[in-house]
């Protein structure tokens, strides 16, 4: 039996724009997804038959990294699904890591690159940020340019992403889960539609890229006040792209009085917002009162792990 575990993730800055090749910063969080795989008499997930319809990420991962020998897969996740906290990427990465370990081919790079293929197949247009973050853990900075010490590079059509490790300090971030399930694929497609048809749309995406580079500088300097301010600006641009929602806006509004900054995280349209704050208790209370579910998470968690029993 092989057991693996992968962290959830938060995008601190740059979601959506990263799909166009712009920079982005993400961190692994203290919530994890655990996976166990063992030989079996049929393909199953938590005792149910494996199916493309109910387990699209797992089915795609099995096709890409396994063969026809039947296996039983057991999954237990601490993240709500479709919450913007990376549950799809974590399940993809944890399953790929366990399968590649069983084939003797485990490496972070191999898991991250196959993980991106799985996400692209299931979600449609995508960037490698979620799967690279759940694989490497700690922090990830995606840049437009390579560097000798980068982790890996991933390309698709004319887009290239250079994935770098980024030292994200351990901090508490309050997540406000709206409870609204929003699928990533259609939101990504909506932004593409906007950018394809208007120069203004593309300018917003480029502006998010520039803000993210400023955010990286503030993160490196440990300047939470400035970083928070940039996150809130990033949110305003995401709202212009049409990926915020009334529920996200409400949770951000009540969090901001106690926070350095707040924004949606992930695809938006529902899902979750995050607040950078030293007042986790007050922010959590405000989120709860406004109808959201607060979850305090710690940034900088370790990446995927595999263990053969
Ligand atoms: C979703 O967590 C992040 C998006 O940028 C999509 C992607 O990068 O694949 C919205």
């Amino acid at each position: 039996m092989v057991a693996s575990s992968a962290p959830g993730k938060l995008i601190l800055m740059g979601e959506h724009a990263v799909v166009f090749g712009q920079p982005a910063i993400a961190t692994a969080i203290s919530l994890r997804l655990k996976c166990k795989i063992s030989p079996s008499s049929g393909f199953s997930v938590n005792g149910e038959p494996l199916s493309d319809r109910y387990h699209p990420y797992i089915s795609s991962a099995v096709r890409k990294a396994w063969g026809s020998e039947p296996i039983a897969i057991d999954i237990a996740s601490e993240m709500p699904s479709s919450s913007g906290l990376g549950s799809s990427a974590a399940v993809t990465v944890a399953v790929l890591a366990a399968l590649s370990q069983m084939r003797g081919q485990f490496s972070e790079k191999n898991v991250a690159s196959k993980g991106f293929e799985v996400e692209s197949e299931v979600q449609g247009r995508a960037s490698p940020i979620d799967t690279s973050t759940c694989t490497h853990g700690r922090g990830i900075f995606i840049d437009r340019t390579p560097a000798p010490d980068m982790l890996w590079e991933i390309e698709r059509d004319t887009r290239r992403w250079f994935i770098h490790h980024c030292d994200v300090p351990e901090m508490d971030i309050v997540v406000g889960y709206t409870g609204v399930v929003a699928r990533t694929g259609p939101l990504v497609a909506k932004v593409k539609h906007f950018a394809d048809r208007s120069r203004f749309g593309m300018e917003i995406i480029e502006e998010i890229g520039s803000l993210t580079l400023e955010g990286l500088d503030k993160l490196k300097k440990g300047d939470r006040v400035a970083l928070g301010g940039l996150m809130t600006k990033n949110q305003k641009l995401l709202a212009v792209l049409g990926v915020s929602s009334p529920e996200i806006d409400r949770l951000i509004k009540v969090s901001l009085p106690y926070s350095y900054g707040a924004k949606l995280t992930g695809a938006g349209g529902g899902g979750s917002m995050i607040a950078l704050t030293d007042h986790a208790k007050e922010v959590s209370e405000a989120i709860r009162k406004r109808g959201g579910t607060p979850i305090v998470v710690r940034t900088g968690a370790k990446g995927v792990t595999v263990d053969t029993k």
Side-chain angles (χ1 to χ4, degrees), residues 9 11 14-19 84 119 123 125-130 184 188 266-267:
K9 64 94 215 331
I11 300 183
E15 53 270 271
H16 284 289
V18 68
V19 180
E119 265 213 338
Q123 175 181 306
R125 204 173 137 83
S127 86
I129 192 158
D130 293 2
T184 302
V188 169

Side-chain angles (χ1 to χ4, degrees), residues 25 211-223 230:
I25 312 165
L211 278 184
T212 302
L213 289 179
E214 272 186 66
L216 181 72
D217 179 57
K218 304 305 174 203
L219 185 70
K220 282 184 177 160
K221 291 182 174 142
D223 185 345
L230 291 165

Side-chain angles (χ1 to χ4, degrees), residues 6 8 20 35 37 42 44 80-81 97 114 116 128 149 195 206 209 219 246 264 278 303:
F20 293 79
C35 163
I37 304 188
S44 66
S81 69
K114 282 210 171 67
F116 174 60
D149 62 347
E206 285 161 6
L219 185 70
L264 67 81
D278 288 332

Side-chain angles (χ1 to χ4, degrees), residues 76-244:
S77 176
E78 294 171 345
M79 281 86 69
S81 69
S82 299
S83 60
L85 299 180
S87 60
S88 312
V91 77
T92 303
V93 162
V95 169
L96 285 171
L99 294 177
S100 49
Q101 173 80 357
M102 287 159 88
R103 289 273 183 253
Q105 291 165 349
F106 173 78
S107 75
E108 280 195 2
K109 190 176 170 186
N110 178 20
V111 168
S113 92
K114 282 210 171 67
F116 174 60
E117 286 172 30
V118 168
E119 265 213 338
S120 303
E121 188 179 298
V122 179
Q123 175 181 306
R125 204 173 137 83
S127 86
I129 192 158
D130 293 2
T131 38
S132 282
T133 307
C134 295
T135 303
H136 177 67
R138 293 161 285 167
I140 288 282
F141 170 58
I142 296 204
D143 203 358
R144 285 180 293 231
T145 49
D149 62 347
M150 69 186 182
L151 296 169
W152 46 77
E153 85 176 75
I154 290 183
E155 65 176 282
R156 191 168 201 93
D157 47 62
T158 55
R159 296 167 296 159
R160 280 175 97 186
W161 296 272
F162 301 101
I163 323 289
H164 301 254
H165 167 79
C166 167
D167 279 324
V168 174
E170 284 196 26
M171 3 178 223
D172 282 341
I173 290 202
V174 182
V175 174
Y177 176 44
T178 61
V180 177
V181 171
R183 283 173 51 235
T184 302
L187 288 152
V188 169
K190 177 177 176 182
V191 173
K192 180 166 188 320
H193 187 82
F194 184 22
D196 282 350
R197 273 157 194 74
S198 99
R199 179 66 214 142
F200 176 62
M202 198 43 104
E203 278 167 13
I204 299 289
I205 284 159
E206 285 161 6
E207 181 63 25
I208 292 177
S210 310
L211 278 184
T212 302
L213 289 179
E214 272 186 66
L216 181 72
D217 179 57
K218 304 305 174 203
L219 185 70
K220 282 184 177 160
K221 291 182 174 142
D223 185 345
R224 289 151 64 89
V225 177
L227 177 62
L230 291 165
M231 287 167 66
T232 306
K233 274 193 189 164
N234 188 164
Q235 167 62 23
K236 295 199 170 119
L237 298 177
L238 287 163
V240 176
L241 290 181
V243 294
S244 196

